[in-house]
Amino acid sequence: MAPGAPSSSPSPILAALLFSSLVLPLAQAIVVYTDKEVHGAVGSKVTLHCSFWSSEWISDDISFTWRYQPEGGRDAISIFHYAKGQPYIDEVGTFKERIQWVGDPHWKDGSIVIHNLDYSDNGTFTCDVKNPPDIVGKTSQVTLYVFEKVPTRYGVVLGAVIGGVLGVVLLLLLLFYVTRYCWLRRQAALQRRLSAMEKGKLHKAAKDSKRGRQTPALYAMLDHSRSTKAASEKKAKGLGESRKDKK
């Protein structure tokens, strides 16, 4: 680079402007959430949930708009609008007398209920939220399927199967631990009974041994007393005879 030539590196101001142009819109983008799909039966009602996230406080000018695109159709029509704290149901279309507002902007909820479902209601519903100054963001879509009878979802069946298997496993574990506890308790009682029997046998053997040691002594004492008595009687008899001889 030649001396005095201007620097080719970006200036701090340009870098800041570039950063703000890329990051700030992303930070302020509103995010809308709906279910991917909902199912309903003919003649029943269904709730189309819509919630959002915004980096701004809830504005008095917040608005919700619901649009409907029939199954196989190309164009979407507006069926509901909420603005300035008031719900507005479009006076055209098949939903004009069947939509009910159940949302609450303070809870970031823009849900609606569709009553008296019919097969012709199959299609895609789009929820759009504006929370000035946070108005940049993508909408969210939910697909409605109307059936004669709402089919059981695969996830519900799978959950029921998993729950049943877990229940059986827990029941088997419970039975195992109860059986093991009863067996251990029975073994402990049997051990205590055997210990008591062993102690009784030892005590009885000790008594028999002691009694066996005392029996010869008793016999010896009896023999001694008999011998002493016989000697006394013999001596008394001899004295009596000597007295007769003297007379």
Side-chain angles (χ1 to χ4, degrees):
M1 182 181 294
S7 175
S8 61
S9 60
S11 65
I13 297 177
L14 182 60
L17 290 175
L18 181 61
F19 175 81
S20 62
S21 64
L22 292 176
V23 176
L24 291 182
L26 295 177
Q28 294 181 354
I30 193 168
V31 183
V32 183
Y33 304 96
T34 61
D35 297 323
K36 185 176 180 181
E37 63 181 46
V38 292
H39 298 167
V42 175
S44 66
K45 65 180 180 179
V46 69
T47 301
L48 303 181
H49 296 281
C50 177
S51 59
F52 68 94
W53 177 90
S54 175
S55 60
E56 301 291 337
W57 292 96
I58 303 301
S59 171
D60 293 335
D61 296 326
I62 188 172
S63 65
F64 298 89
T65 301
W66 279 93
R67 296 182 180 87
Y68 168 67
Q69 182 178 351
E71 186 177 26
R74 294 183 178 181
D75 299 327
I77 59 174
S78 176
I79 60 173
F80 178 84
H81 186 68
Y82 177 95
K84 300 294 183 180
Q86 295 295 327
Y88 300 94
I89 300 175
D90 292 340
E91 296 297 330
V92 294
T94 59
F95 298 102
K96 61 181 181 179
E97 296 179 353
R98 298 190 290 134
I99 293 181
Q100 178 186 359
W101 165 253
V102 293
D104 187 346
H106 297 289
W107 290 95
K108 299 182 178 181
D109 184 6
S111 303
I112 61 174
V113 174
I114 300 179
H115 295 268
N116 195 19
L117 292 176
D118 191 76
Y119 291 115
S120 60
D121 296 333
N122 286 322
T124 302
F125 294 79
T126 303
C127 180
D128 187 14
V129 184
K130 306 295 184 186
N131 184 38
D134 195 356
I135 59 175
V136 179
K138 292 183 178 181
T139 59
S140 185
Q141 296 180 337
V142 53
T143 303
L144 172 63
Y145 296 98
V146 181
F147 301 92
E148 180 67 28
K149 183 179 180 181
V150 178
T152 304
R153 296 185 180 181
Y154 174 76
V156 175
V157 175
L158 182 61
V161 172
I162 294 175
V165 172
L166 290 177
V168 172
V169 171
L170 290 176
L171 181 61
L172 292 176
L173 287 175
L174 180 62
L175 290 175
F176 169 75
Y177 282 112
V178 169
T179 305
R180 187 170 183 270
Y181 171 76
C182 294
W183 181 80
L184 290 175
R185 188 173 180 180
R186 185 177 180 182
Q187 289 295 111
L190 183 60
Q191 189 67 29
R192 288 195 299 269
R193 189 176 301 173
L194 291 175
S195 299
M197 291 176 64
E198 290 293 333
K199 290 181 180 179
K201 288 181 179 180
L202 291 175
H203 184 66
K204 184 178 180 181
K207 287 181 67 176
D208 292 343
S209 177
K210 186 176 180 181
R211 188 177 299 169
R213 289 194 301 269
Q214 289 178 352
T215 301
L218 290 174
Y219 282 132
M221 291 174 64
L222 288 174
D223 291 341
H224 178 70
S225 61
R226 287 174 182 173
S227 300
T228 304
K229 185 176 180 181
S232 299
E233 290 178 352
K234 188 176 181 180
K235 185 177 180 181
K237 187 177 181 181
L239 289 175
E241 290 178 355
S242 61
R243 288 176 182 176
K244 288 180 180 180
D245 292 338
K246 287 182 181 180
K247 290 180 178 181

